[in-house]
Structure formats: structure tokens, C-alpha cells
Amino acid sequence: MFASTQPETPQPKWLHQLDKFVKAHHLELAALSWGLWQQNGDSNGTVGIDLQPKPHFVYCPQSAIEKFNDNVDNKLQEILGLIDNHKPEVEVLMIGIGKEQIKLIYFEPETPPPICFEKFNQDIDGLMDLLESQMSEEIIVN
């Protein structure tokens, strides 16, 4: 009934791989998210997964996200709203960063992040190293 006048552009393979990784490792990501929140609050910005040159965790400062939003004609306004209203005790919010594209990672796990962190009983660096190693195996960016 409604036709699109723009051809669909194929999604980069990493978007699907990142979705699959998040689904498979949501409890570990919730644990890491809570651990980092306990350690730093939001003083360093939002946790990100930078996929270049290989997947690793970074912080995305609020000012950088706001500047990027300005550069893309306010297309990240909803993401900024989620960041401003993020409830780390019940939600996981991260930003996937690929070549020329970002992806919001936002979910509310059945098990709250503080309980996930207790359950994994690992220090933040160990959990981060484990997840980065698994991402390197599961997410391939060309």
C-alpha cells in the first residue's frame, strides 16, 4: 500500500553480529554495565563498544554524543533522551560504534544489572577482557 521511494541500503554485517552477541551475552553485558556504573557513574559518559580495529569497550562522553548529534541534523535526539533518563539499576544502555554508523544497545534484562554483577562475581577488568575476547571471535568488521 505504501511504497518507499528510497532503495533499501544493505545493513553492514556487523550490525547483525552485534545484535546476536548482545542477545547471547546480555547478562554479562548487564553485569559489566552495572560494575562500570558503580565504579564511575556517568562521569566518563556512556559505555560504548568500538568495533575498530577490533571490538573493545570505550566511554562516549556526553559532549561528543551531543556534537555528533549536531553533525547529523539531530537524528540522535532519542538516544540523548535515553541517556538522560537511563536507570542503570534496571537498564543496560551502550552504544555500538562501527565505521560511519552507530547502533544503540538498550535493553532491560529479566535479572537486574546489580544481581547480574553479583552472580558473575568477577572484577570489572576480568569481565571486560572476557567480553572483548568473545566479541573479537563473534563480530567481524571489514
Side-chain angles (χ1 to χ4, degrees):
M1 185 154 118
F2 295 101
S4 174
T5 56
Q6 295 181 340
E8 273 193 42
T9 56
Q11 295 293 322
K13 189 183 249 187
W14 69 263
L15 286 171
H16 174 70
Q17 293 171 343
L18 183 59
D19 281 341
K20 192 174 173 181
F21 180 84
V22 169
K23 186 179 257 187
H25 301 281
H26 67 281
L27 296 177
E28 294 97 326
L29 290 168
L32 179 63
S33 177
W34 180 252
L36 291 171
W37 179 262
Q38 288 297 106
Q39 186 177 51
N40 302 311
D42 62 358
S43 64
N44 292 339
T46 301
V47 176
I49 299 173
D50 187 355
L51 299 172
Q52 296 287 335
K54 65 179 187 165
H56 62 284
F57 291 98
V58 296
Y59 276 104
C60 304
Q62 180 84 11
S63 60
I65 298 169
E66 289 170 354
K67 183 175 179 176
F68 187 52
N69 183 51
D70 290 342
N71 292 340
V72 296
D73 297 324
N74 295 319
K75 292 181 179 164
L76 302 180
Q77 209 58 41
E78 286 108 4
I79 291 175
L80 288 170
L82 288 170
I83 291 170
D84 287 342
N85 295 295
H86 178 227
K87 296 177 185 80
E89 64 281 356
V90 294
E91 303 167 331
V92 174
L93 182 121
M94 297 180 177
I95 297 174
I97 306 162
K99 188 175 183 180
E100 299 178 5
Q101 197 168 7
I102 67 168
K103 173 165 182 51
L104 178 67
I105 300 166
Y106 178 79
F107 62 93
E108 189 174 316
E110 287 183 24
T111 305
I115 294 173
C116 289
F117 186 72
E118 287 176 25
K119 177 183 172 188
F120 282 99
N121 195 25
Q122 234 182 346
D123 67 30
I124 295 168
D125 290 334
L127 190 54
M128 194 177 301
D129 289 345
L130 175 68
L131 285 166
E132 286 177 345
S133 173
Q134 291 170 330
M135 282 191 294
S136 291
E137 293 173 12
E138 298 177 35
I139 302 171
I140 309 300
V141 180
N142 297 332

